[in-house]
Amino acid sequence: FAYCQVRHSHMHVTMFLAKMPRVPCMVIWAIASLLSAGMGVALTVACWSQSITVREQGIYSSLLHIPQYPFQLFCGVCMIAFSFVLLLDGVKAIVGIFNEEYANEIRGDWVG
């Protein structure tokens, strides 16, 4: 997720945002990015919490008989990286509200 976010490879529905003036679209984009980052942090906490629970209960996969907790812990680590990239995108969009260069860089990947 984090790699795709850095490369702007995720699918974004921007057909309305691409037609809006710079300031409103950057405000909406910043809010969406920051909310997504917040949700990513919540998912990170959930992954780590579940990893602890699974380890304490000694849960193993039914097919391979390997512990599940390392994979859930890895999921949490990856999700925090994704959340960090989303946070950076949100901050960049906030700067784009006041700076047209940043706004054009963000909107450069949009198809509208």
Side-chain angles (χ1 to χ4, degrees):
F1 285 148
Y3 177 75
C4 284
Q5 186 66 25
V6 168
R7 307 287 291 165
H8 303 288
S9 300
H10 285 132
M11 184 181 298
H12 299 288
V13 180
T14 56
M15 62 184 169
F16 294 118
L17 287 178
K19 307 247 187 270
M20 295 175 73
R22 175 177 54 93
V23 173
C25 82
M26 287 297 107
V27 168
I28 292 169
W29 192 256
I31 290 170
S33 295
L34 295 175
L35 286 174
S36 298
M39 183 57 69
V41 170
L43 286 170
T44 299
V45 171
C47 286
W48 287 345
S49 174
Q50 184 66 18
S51 174
I52 292 168
T53 302
V54 166
R55 183 172 185 186
E56 288 173 352
Q57 293 179 356
I59 297 175
Y60 286 78
S61 69
S62 59
L63 184 62
L64 298 175
H65 301 291
I66 58 175
Q68 289 184 0
Y69 73 90
F71 301 101
Q72 292 176 345
L73 188 62
F74 180 70
C75 178
V77 169
C78 292
M79 192 53 79
I80 199 69
F82 181 51
S83 301
F84 180 71
V85 173
L86 285 170
L87 179 65
L88 289 178
D89 283 350
V91 169
K92 193 173 185 179
I94 290 171
V95 172
I97 294 170
F98 306 103
N99 185 325
E100 187 142 0
E101 275 184 50
Y102 279 97
N104 289 338
E105 183 180 331
I106 293 168
R107 294 194 296 187
D109 295 324
W110 297 355
V111 177

